[in-house]
Amino acid sequence: AARFTEAGMPGEIYRPVFEECLSALQWRHAPQAKLEADGQHRFLPAFFHTLRELARQGRDFTVVLRTFGVDLPEVASALAAFADGLHPDFPIEEAIQDRIKRLRPNDADAQWALRRVDRSDINSAIQLCQYAAHLGKEGLGSDLSDAKGVLPAVLKVVDEALITKLVSAQSVLGIRDDYFFWTGHAHRPEAGKPLWITTNDSLVQHIFFDDNIHDKANDSIVAVRASAPVGDSSGSCFHSVSGEATRQLEGCLLVKAQPTVAIRQMDYFLDEIRRCEENFSLMVQDGKLTTLLQPSVGPTPFAGSLAANKNALRGCLAGARLC
């Protein structure tokens, strides 16, 4: 893979794109450990450009950093440096300093992790836990049937409705998702990174960026979970939507991020947000969004076996890929 674009290799035709990306990622300032490494940007410049432009537009938004990996400390540190006005490519003018400052995470903001109560059960209850330290490479562990090694949480939110309130109340939040739960349940949509949507609430739009989103009904890195409509007397219990519905929500609530485009086009994420907002309005008006957010009638089919305010924007923006 490291030689894919070299002469004589299958990807030789993409060499100009590769070189353009390398040039765009070159750090052209004095060393800044939180923002660069080995002479290159640690994180896509378009990420910081997007945050600054949304602040300039007076948008009300939350940044939720989602990852299966161990990179939350580095991402949070870079975001803090940006919010402190330390990024030389993105100076913060006085008019938006307060808006940008609110995006500065503290250590605790990036020490959350999602876990299922019973990891062997794909429909198990979901908890959001805050730990005293970041989880290591193994996360919650690869053995879904083993509950003995679960770390004690400093803080635990056990109701999905309360999780959504916590996320909405924060300016920035970093969440470690459960990679082994997703792979252990064959990448089925219900096992992915949960995205909570309140049906018929058109005041808040969630946009989940991830470069691993696929156009497949039985394979999704995002688990879209919808609640009862606003004002519904049945309560706020969340349910999984179908894999097919999840697939159709790309371009509205989900975006398959294109890193090579984001590297070369500074407005990439802003353009995708605009596309999602336009589709969101259309799908709200014609009722399609409400239809897609109905409960899944059964488990998503899969191949293989299980292994042991419209003015508000809720975005999941995660460094090199806006989650």
Side-chain angles (χ1 to χ4, degrees), residues 34 198 237 244 269:
K34 294 181 179 180
T198 300
C237 181
E244 175 57 26
F269 294 117

Side-chain angles (χ1 to χ4, degrees), residues 130 177 246 285 322:
Q130 188 180 66
D177 286 279
T246 300
Q285 291 171 12
L322 294 192

Side-chain angles (χ1 to χ4, degrees), residues 2 19 36 47 56 69 184 194 230 240 284 313 316:
E19 292 179 348
E36 62 86 26
F47 171 61
R56 285 172 171 172
V230 174
S240 294
V284 167
L313 176 67
C316 294

